[in-house]
Amino acid sequence: ASTFCHPGFGPVLMLGSGGQLVELMSDVRFVALPASRDHLERVLAGTLIGRALKSGFRGASGFESAVAFVHRLSLLALHARDRIAQIEVNPFTVGQHGAVAVDVSVVLS
């Protein structure tokens, strides 16, 4: 997940599957912020990783944790948009442990 300010659209959240094949799979969605938790849930459910998490594919779990994580990330991006130009969380993991950011990059304005 990544947030940034687009010159024409304003604050934006990029959401989708990560990893080396992300460009090949085209499994990324862009959401103008602010966005409701329900909207983010629908967007995530439309991605390959979201469908896998929601359906429990091969024991996957953590869909609700992922939704809560991206919702909180979007709120942070909006709250701090005067001070933070971009936040990139890649990857974050979800499961029985909840949602955990593994690697985070923050670019200040």
Side-chain angles (χ1 to χ4, degrees):
S2 181
T3 66
F4 58 94
C5 191
H6 185 277
F9 297 109
V12 175
L13 172 73
M14 182 177 74
L15 175 65
S17 300
Q20 296 176 343
L21 299 178
V22 67
E23 291 94 6
L24 179 63
M25 295 181 344
S26 297
D27 192 32
V28 176
R29 306 294 186 276
F30 294 91
V31 180
L33 298 178
S36 70
R37 187 185 186 289
D38 289 342
H39 181 68
L40 293 172
E41 182 175 343
R42 287 190 300 276
V43 170
L44 180 60
T47 66
L48 293 171
I49 192 64
R51 288 194 302 271
L53 290 171
K54 192 168 186 173
S55 70
F57 180 74
R58 292 191 163 199
S61 65
F63 180 78
E64 291 301 321
S65 294
V67 171
F69 183 89
V70 296
H71 184 241
R72 288 190 305 266
L73 178 63
S74 73
L75 294 175
L76 171 64
L78 287 171
H79 179 73
R81 70 179 170 200
D82 293 339
R83 297 177 304 273
I84 297 176
Q86 179 178 348
I87 304 169
E88 182 176 349
V89 182
N90 186 15
F92 72 92
T93 64
V94 294
Q96 293 178 347
H97 60 277
V100 175
V102 177
D103 190 12
V104 178
S105 171
V106 177
V107 178
L108 300 177
S109 298

